[in-house]
Amino acid sequence: MNEQQSSRVRSAYNRGLWLNGALEHDGRAPCLTGDVESDVCIVGGGYTGLWAAIAIKEQSPSTSVTIVEADVCGGGASGQNGGFALTFWHSFLGLQRLCGTQEALRLCRESEIAVAEIGDFCRKHGIDAAFRYEGWLWSATNAHQVNAWESTVAALEAENANPFVDLSPDEVKGRTGSARHVAGVFEPGCASLDPAALVRGLRRVALDLGVRIHELTPMLALDRSDPPRVRTPEGSVTASRVVIATNAWASRLPELYGSILCIASDVVSTARLPEGIIDGEDFMNGTCVSDSRLMVNYYRTTVDGRVVFGKGGGAFAFGKQIGGSFRGPSRRAEWVTRAMRAIFPSLENVPISESWVGAVDRSLDGLPFFTDLGRPDLICGAGFSGNGVGPSRLGGKILASMALGRDDGFSSCGLVRKPVKGLPPEPIRGVGGRLVRSAIARKELAEDEGRRPGFVDRSLARLAPPGLVPLD
């Protein structure tokens, strides 16, 4: 291992709460050296790539699978998110527009099954990912956000689907631990977990199934030969099928450059809380909470009594450059901490123990897509838009069916599609994105203060792609 690779290994121990713990006693898979052949080569060792590899080996044990990962498995968003395992139910309206009512309902039900399967998988394989089936609260922290969920709930009720439960103001306070919350609906079929423990557990299971994994092995080039070849610093993988599962880094592919906006989501973790400092038993037991703003606040507790609080809308990548703003401690930790203490004033004097940042692959319609890159032996899945922990389980099934050439309900589902294009080139993309982000920040500050946002800010905010919750 050269000095650059050794430095990258050492840096793996400064990545925030989840990965610091998961990597402390975990070994590394060897870098790829030399030229190898494989039936399937998966580029990316996060949730999507690992779930796909496991699904392929479970369905076709004789199929050889090789994963190349530029960092360590989980070194990207899979190990550095907030640990929310959510479904697609909150995205029903977008799915309905995309693929029709019945397919949207089917995908939502499949995503709910996927969350349950993650818990079952952890129990079966002894993965201590702190999986807690305590649901998700879609909430409002100001008057403007109240009933942000109304159109989604109404559309679902029209189809006799009722995944959300109305809560009284007292119930909302109990599940959020904060009087700042004024309304909300609850979805029981969601969970909180330790994301890095899950991804490293998936890595272990994949290795046990015979998947060859090479960490610290970035793809330098994808040769569009027949068969295709993935070139790495010290070798290559020639495969019958290549699956790209690199999350936000997929935006570097020419076919996807205008389809994915790479944006940071910043997260902080408190020290362990003093007893009784937050009055909310359900929240302390692991309920996931999100409010209804575009620059979403999302938060939950850990099994050892910390608050993990994240905020969307951080740094933008410039073109294909995904640099230091997406690695290491968050540069916006103070911004996130202020948002947390506005919702939890009792945490004013509780120290922040760690901060980190994850790269979000925001698609233009807020939904993931699974597609070929102009030929059936080159496959990609991306665009989870901040909701990848749960849906990546479903995404792995989709990619496995596509890689194995199966004609089934996964390979033909509504998410197998060409991604929506429309992002302008740089520097227009970066300048425009920052203008929109600033307008959103001003708009949401005015709403928090009970003021009507200005016309320009409202108009610019509507140009943002949908996030965790629908646009107004």
Side-chain angles (χ1 to χ4, degrees):
M1 182 180 296
N2 61 36
E3 179 58 31
Q4 181 181 10
Q5 291 168 332
S6 297
S7 174
R8 292 177 69 184
V9 170
R10 289 194 297 271
S11 73
Y13 290 90
N14 297 291
R15 303 183 187 224
L17 178 68
W18 312 122
L19 276 173
N20 283 349
L23 293 172
E24 187 174 0
H25 303 293
D26 201 357
R28 305 294 183 276
C31 304
L32 175 65
T33 58
D35 301 321
V36 301
E37 295 183 356
S38 186
D39 293 325
V40 179
C41 177
I42 297 174
V43 183
Y47 290 139
T48 305
L50 287 165
W51 280 125
I54 290 168
I56 289 170
K57 294 298 286 186
E58 288 177 339
Q59 295 177 44
S60 179
S62 63
T63 298
S64 58
V65 180
T66 300
I67 293 177
V68 294
E69 163 57 47
D71 196 357
V72 295
C73 289
S78 294
Q80 296 181 294
N81 56 75
F84 285 33
L86 306 185
T87 72
F88 281 143
W89 285 115
H90 64 273
S91 298
F92 174 72
L93 292 176
L95 285 168
Q96 188 180 46
R97 286 191 294 270
L98 174 67
C99 54
T101 298
Q102 294 310 308
E103 179 66 355
L105 288 168
R106 186 178 78 89
L107 287 169
C108 287
R109 292 184 180 114
E110 287 286 353
S111 71
E112 188 170 13
I113 291 169
V115 173
E117 287 178 340
I118 293 172
D120 293 340
F121 190 91
C122 289
R123 286 186 289 273
K124 177 181 178 180
H125 294 283
I127 300 172
D128 185 10
F131 184 91
R132 294 188 289 178
Y133 221 159
E134 295 293 334
W136 171 60
L137 185 69
W138 183 354
S139 73
T141 50
N142 61 43
H144 175 81
Q145 296 173 20
V146 172
N147 291 330
W149 46 85
E150 185 174 24
S151 58
T152 300
V153 171
L156 287 166
E157 288 180 344
E159 303 300 328
N160 295 314
N162 299 288
F164 295 104
V165 179
D166 287 323
L167 298 182
S168 70
D170 286 342
E171 289 172 324
V172 169
K173 180 180 177 181
R175 290 197 178 275
T176 63
S178 170
R180 177 71 181 271
H181 295 266
V182 295
V185 290
F186 180 66
E187 184 187 349
C190 302
S192 62
L193 51 77
D194 179 330
L198 174 60
V199 73
R200 299 303 287 183
L202 292 175
R203 171 185 174 275
R204 170 174 59 80
V205 174
L207 288 169
D208 290 343
L209 288 171
V211 176
R212 293 177 292 186
I213 298 178
H214 298 283
E215 294 177 299
L216 303 176
T217 303
M219 179 179 73
L220 299 182
L222 175 59
D223 292 344
R224 312 299 177 100
S225 51
D226 185 14
R229 182 174 67 147
V230 172
R231 288 196 280 134
T232 69
E234 298 180 37
S236 69
V237 183
T238 300
S240 300
R241 293 284 191 275
V242 172
V243 177
I244 306 296
T246 54
N247 191 46
W249 283 263
S251 62
R252 294 173 171 175
L253 293 168
E255 294 91 345
L256 302 183
Y257 177 70
S259 303
I260 302 174
L261 180 64
C262 177
I263 187 168
S265 189
D266 298 82
V267 192
V268 301
S269 170
T270 68
R272 292 182 177 88
L273 302 183
E275 187 77 24
I277 195 170
I278 290 181
D279 182 18
E281 182 178 352
D282 291 321
F283 180 63
M284 295 305 296
N285 285 340
T287 297
C288 299
V289 183
S290 305
D291 64 10
S292 300
R293 65 187 72 222
L294 276 170
M295 299 175 76
V296 61
N297 295 321
Y298 57 94
Y299 29 102
R300 41 73 62 96
T301 58
T302 64
V303 292
D304 63 349
R306 305 170 189 266
V307 170
V308 170
F309 190 104
K311 190 168 180 62
F316 289 93
F318 184 85
K320 299 180 181 180
Q321 301 171 20
I322 304 177
S325 297
F326 298 87
R327 295 288 188 187
S330 169
R331 300 179 184 181
R332 292 170 173 76
E334 291 186 8
W335 173 60
V336 180
T337 301
R338 286 196 300 272
M340 180 190 72
R341 289 174 175 160
I343 291 175
F344 297 105
S346 62
L347 303 186
E348 180 66 32
N349 296 317
V350 175
I352 300 299
S353 64
E354 303 190 62
S355 70
W356 61 95
V357 61
V360 175
D361 52 340
R362 181 66 61 80
S363 68
L364 288 179
D365 59 7
L367 294 167
F369 54 84
F370 303 89
T371 186
D372 65 63
L373 301 176
R375 44 192 278 187
D377 55 356
L378 300 178
I379 303 162
C380 181
F384 288 94
S385 301
N387 180 27
V389 179
S392 63
R393 166 68 173 174
L394 174 57
K397 295 178 183 179
I398 294 170
L399 290 171
S401 287
M402 294 174 72
L404 292 171
R406 301 281 175 86
D407 183 10
D408 58 22
F410 295 113
S411 64
S412 62
C413 77
L415 294 174
V416 177
R417 62 193 176 108
K418 296 297 182 183
V420 178
K421 290 185 178 290
L423 290 171
E426 298 291 4
I428 299 172
R429 179 190 298 197
V431 173
R434 285 160 180 78
L435 285 172
V436 170
R437 182 179 63 189
S438 296
I440 292 170
R442 291 190 299 269
K443 171 182 177 290
E444 294 182 340
L445 176 61
E447 291 164 354
D448 283 338
E449 294 176 348
R451 297 183 286 109
R452 178 174 172 77
F455 172 78
V456 172
D457 289 341
R458 297 198 312 272
S459 299
L460 285 172
R462 293 190 185 100
L463 298 177
L468 186 64
V469 295
L471 293 170
D472 58 10

